[in-house]
Amino acid sequence: MATNERERAVLSLKGVTKRIGGKTIVEGLGFELFPGEIVGLLGPNGAGKTTTIRMIVGLIGMTEGDISIGGHSIRSEFTKAIRHVGGIIENPEFYPYMTGLDNLKQYRRMTDGITDERFQEVIRLVGLEDALNKRVKAYSLGMRQRLGIAQALLHKPSLLILDEPTNGLDPAGIREMRDYLKEIASKEGIAILISSHLLSEIEQICGRVVVIQNGKLVTVRDIGEQQNKAERSQIEVVVRATPLTVARQALDRLDMVQVTRVFEERNELLLSLKDEDIPLVVKALGEHDAALYRIEEAKSTLEEEFLKWTGGNRIA
Amino acid sequence: MLNHGSGFGKLVVNEWLKLSKKRSFFIAFLIMAGFVALLAYLTTIAPSGETYTALRFAAECMEIRGLGSIMLYIVIISTSGIVAREHSMGTIKFLMIRAHGRSRILASKYVVALLYMLALAVFTLAVTLAAGWVVFGFGASEVSWADLFLQALYTLVYMFVYTTFVFMIGVLTRSAGATIGIGMFAVVLQSILNMVLSRYAFAKYLLFTNTDLSVYATNTAPIKGMTLTFSVIILSVYVILFLAASFVTFKRRDIA
């Protein structure tokens, strides 16, 4: 099982360490990405996200450890490993005096076997048909971002690495990009690694997050829908009811319900209970003549969890 | 086209396009044409009383002291950014995450720097011949075609060595501005150092004293004991050192 998993991994980091001078920037980092999954790389400023991403694509060397992509080491078989990778590292930078089309052709020439169909398909996909004959100099950041995605997808990579992919996109563009990334992940089985400081972004798109701090792995967590299902047994809900004291007494009597917090100023109680016990809560409140205004699920956001993991450091 | 060695030719095409798609690309050629026209004009009004032919005019233009150093300045300016600007524009990131080794990418850039140098030299030679033909005609001349090509070859060697030097500086400094500055300074320094240092024996091992091979055509070695073969060996050693420094640095560098 373990070896199968390892072979299946598109990207695998093992004990990756980077030291510059006497300073350790990344230490013993290890995680894996499998086909079709979208993983977020999170960490506060200076946690080593950018260094990690640059090591994955071979822009900077590592002091210890190894990274393999599609089963090839980025250290010893660079061209074989990098062939599977498409990426945007920080801002997408192009030759400003050339048109978008000429820029894209540059990258087309660097990989054999990109057909005209593929070329046109990618252009259509990122919605750049109209802007292609303009010089990149005249592009907005959003347009450059799209062109960046286009160059990353031309050679049908199996691993897509995106540093701040929605940076500079308008809300419609962000949504489109998100839908598109989800689609290529599920349809073409591309694994996507995204680093972003927009936690809500990560939350909406990623199935898993890798959190690093001070160059070390803090946690690898499943998030989103999968987590909800897994943790269905015990959920947290906020109940607003008056009078609050009456409501509290009523609920304290229920064994399966725990009142974990009281917000007096808002007349709210935070409860921990099983989904199927919610009708009992409503019934108990009714029996004790407490007026119920609302019941809602208290989802802890990724941001709150992130702050928990990283000890409240500021977010990158 | 040129699709051997898994796409090295395509890398060269890419690099050539990066250079030639700049609006300033043709200005370099215009400047050379302008200088040739100016020299042709000055030669006709100069009261030297000597008779010029197209070949003699072209040969004198192609000398290092003629248009050779101006050509070199233009090559320095035009090729200074070939590596440096990839760094300063940030385009190096997309360039390096392709299935090509770093050495191959750098080699394609070096090839294009040399191609540019060659293109400018060939263009200038053609223009000097055309201008010489129009102004002086192809009369009987003591300068032969062989003399002309030999002169152009000397200048090409001189440009080749400095282009390689400037290429290395571009890799090492990652700054087009610094590269132009250092490159120009080295070329200007050459003439000064040659005068000052020529009395010292060690000066014959310097790059500067060896770059002008045309001195051997008149059998006057700049420093006693220097021969054409000696200079060619010294130049080769320097070129190899420059390239080794460039490739080793480029291969190992972290791109932050």
Side-chain angles (χ1 to χ4, degrees):
Chain A
M1 173 66 193
T3 52
N4 271 345
E5 283 275 285
R6 187 130 298 168
E7 277 162 28
R8 227 166 54 81
V10 181
L11 169 70
S12 143
L13 283 78
K14 273 172 237 147
V16 173
T17 300
K18 176 71 178 177
R19 277 185 222 105
I20 297 177
K23 206 173 161 240
T24 305
I25 294 156
V26 172
E27 192 178 349
L29 194 59
F31 62 87
E32 288 176 330
L33 251 73
F34 298 96
E37 71 168 344
I38 307 181
V39 174
L41 182 63
L42 296 178
N45 261 338
K49 293 191 301 280
T50 303
T51 307
T52 304
I53 282 193
R54 282 169 191 254
M55 283 194 286
I56 293 172
V57 297
L59 284 176
I60 66 178
M62 62 199 96
T63 318
E64 282 165 30
D66 203 356
I67 294 173
S68 87
I69 302 167
H72 299 284
S73 160
I74 198 84
R75 296 183 87 161
S76 54
E77 307 169 282
F78 174 76
T79 53
K80 278 184 184 162
I82 202 74
R83 185 158 292 162
H84 303 283
V85 181
I88 303 178
I89 316 301
E90 285 181 336
N91 287 328
E93 310 286 1
F94 293 93
Y95 305 99
Y97 52 89
M98 295 206 272
T99 64
L101 185 64
D102 284 337
N103 269 286
L104 216 47
K105 280 182 177 169
Q106 285 270 327
Y107 303 109
R108 183 184 176 174
R109 278 186 214 98
M110 294 187 79
T111 310
D112 288 336
I114 297 172
T115 60
D116 280 337
E117 291 79 55
R118 177 64 183 170
F119 195 67
Q120 296 304 328
E121 183 191 345
V122 168
I123 290 168
R124 236 184 349 252
L125 208 116
V126 294
L128 273 176
E129 297 100 320
D130 300 332
L132 268 187
N133 290 315
K134 279 192 210 159
R135 285 170 199 268
V136 169
K137 190 162 31 185
Y139 276 28
S140 66
L141 183 53
M143 285 156 87
R144 280 197 283 136
Q145 199 68 263
R146 285 161 191 268
L147 195 59
I149 297 280
Q151 67 77 35
L153 291 173
L154 269 184
H155 53 291
K156 294 191 175 171
S158 49
L159 173 64
L160 192 59
I161 297 200
L162 302 172
D163 215 0
E164 315 281 351
T166 54
N167 200 353
L169 291 183
D170 52 29
I174 290 178
R175 186 178 180 138
E176 216 178 294
M177 164 95 70
R178 191 195 306 147
D179 292 345
Y180 176 66
L181 291 179
K182 280 183 175 169
E183 191 186 315
I184 57 171
S186 66
K187 277 195 188 156
E188 299 183 35
I190 298 178
I192 306 177
L193 182 66
I194 298 177
S195 95
S196 174
H197 63 272
L198 296 174
L199 291 168
S200 58
E201 235 352 274
I202 293 275
E203 198 168 22
Q204 288 179 65
I205 192 171
C206 298
R208 209 150 60 95
V209 289
V210 172
V211 183
I212 62 172
Q213 188 180 23
N214 298 328
K216 288 182 206 155
L217 189 69
V218 176
T219 181
V220 179
R221 288 289 183 91
D222 287 339
I223 57 167
E225 294 146 28
Q226 296 148 319
Q227 189 195 12
N228 284 351
K229 274 179 206 134
E231 298 183 1
R232 182 120 283 179
S233 50
Q234 204 71 16
I235 61 167
E236 295 203 311
V237 294
V238 174
V239 173
R240 182 180 289 179
T242 54
L244 197 63
T245 43
V246 177
R248 188 168 177 185
Q249 280 164 9
L251 296 176
D252 274 341
R253 269 176 226 165
L254 300 173
D255 289 340
M256 52 292 201
V257 177
Q258 275 187 310
V259 179
T260 48
R261 271 182 91 173
V262 181
F263 305 97
E264 282 189 36
E265 69 280 13
R266 283 184 278 161
N267 287 325
E268 285 178 356
L269 298 170
L270 184 64
L271 310 179
S272 176
L273 75 176
K274 288 196 171 64
D275 211 28
E276 60 263 32
D277 293 333
I278 289 181
L280 296 179
V281 170
V282 177
K283 199 171 158 220
L285 291 174
E287 281 169 358
H288 288 80
D289 285 332
L292 176 62
Y293 291 86
R294 70 170 65 158
I295 297 183
E296 58 188 353
E297 190 171 356
K299 268 193 192 164
S300 93
T301 63
L302 184 58
E303 185 167 339
E304 284 162 19
E305 288 184 49
F306 177 82
L307 292 174
K308 242 188 286 168
W309 297 327
T310 60
N313 244 334
R314 284 218 34 194
I315 296 151
Chain B
M1 68 186 292
L2 291 170
N3 197 7
H4 58 86
S6 59
F8 184 73
K10 285 183 183 170
L11 291 185
V12 172
V13 171
N14 268 356
E15 292 302 328
W16 183 261
L17 289 174
K18 283 182 208 170
L19 211 58
S20 62
K21 292 248 176 194
K22 279 189 193 144
R23 282 184 174 151
S24 59
F25 181 73
F26 293 101
I27 293 174
F29 292 87
L30 283 178
I31 289 173
M32 286 322 297
F35 269 110
V36 173
L38 183 70
L39 281 186
Y41 174 69
L42 290 178
T43 312
T44 53
I45 61 165
S48 65
E50 292 183 51
T51 49
Y52 269 84
T53 63
L55 286 178
R56 181 174 172 193
F57 174 71
E60 288 188 9
C61 280
M62 291 309 286
E63 277 181 32
I64 293 170
R65 281 173 304 263
L67 290 176
S69 41
I70 289 164
M71 258 195 289
L72 179 56
Y73 287 137
I74 290 180
V75 172
I76 290 174
I77 292 168
S78 304
T79 64
S80 63
I82 217 161
V83 174
R85 290 232 192 277
E86 300 270 6
H87 283 283
S88 60
M89 291 192 298
T91 46
I92 188 100
K93 295 174 290 181
F94 284 160
L95 184 64
M96 300 297 240
I97 58 168
R98 309 282 144 183
H100 294 276
R102 287 191 181 187
S103 299
R104 202 194 293 180
I105 288 186
L106 193 63
S108 71
K109 287 182 170 294
Y110 181 58
V111 165
V112 165
L114 296 185
L115 278 179
Y116 180 81
M117 178 197 87
L118 199 63
L120 196 69
V122 168
F123 171 81
T124 306
L125 181 61
V127 173
T128 53
L129 279 171
W133 181 48
V134 170
V135 179
F136 308 106
F138 278 100
S141 167
E142 72 271 31
V143 178
S144 68
W145 283 95
D147 295 333
L148 171 62
F149 286 128
L150 197 59
Q151 194 56 253
L153 188 65
Y154 290 142
T155 300
L156 270 180
V157 168
Y158 161 82
M159 285 166 62
F160 163 72
V161 172
Y162 276 106
T163 303
T164 307
F165 172 72
V166 165
F167 186 76
M168 173 188 74
I169 298 297
V171 173
L172 296 183
T173 64
R174 281 174 278 182
S175 153
T179 305
I180 293 173
I182 294 169
M184 296 261 196
F185 181 70
V187 176
V188 173
L189 199 67
Q190 154 155 22
S191 46
I192 299 167
L193 281 186
N194 275 355
M195 281 190 289
V196 176
L197 295 175
S198 57
R199 65 189 112 126
Y200 302 107
F202 75 86
K204 67 180 175 183
Y205 298 107
L206 294 177
L207 177 71
F208 303 118
T209 22
N210 289 285
T211 47
D212 185 0
L213 297 180
S214 68
V215 293
Y216 299 109
T218 51
N219 286 322
T220 48
I223 297 171
K224 226 179 106 194
M226 287 172 72
T227 63
L228 179 62
T229 318
F230 174 84
S231 285
V232 168
I233 290 170
I234 293 286
L235 290 182
S236 307
V237 169
Y238 274 105
V239 164
I240 289 166
L241 284 178
F242 294 159
L243 289 177
S246 306
F247 278 82
V248 168
T249 309
F250 193 72
K251 250 182 104 73
R252 290 196 183 160
R253 172 140 61 211
D254 280 353
I255 296 164

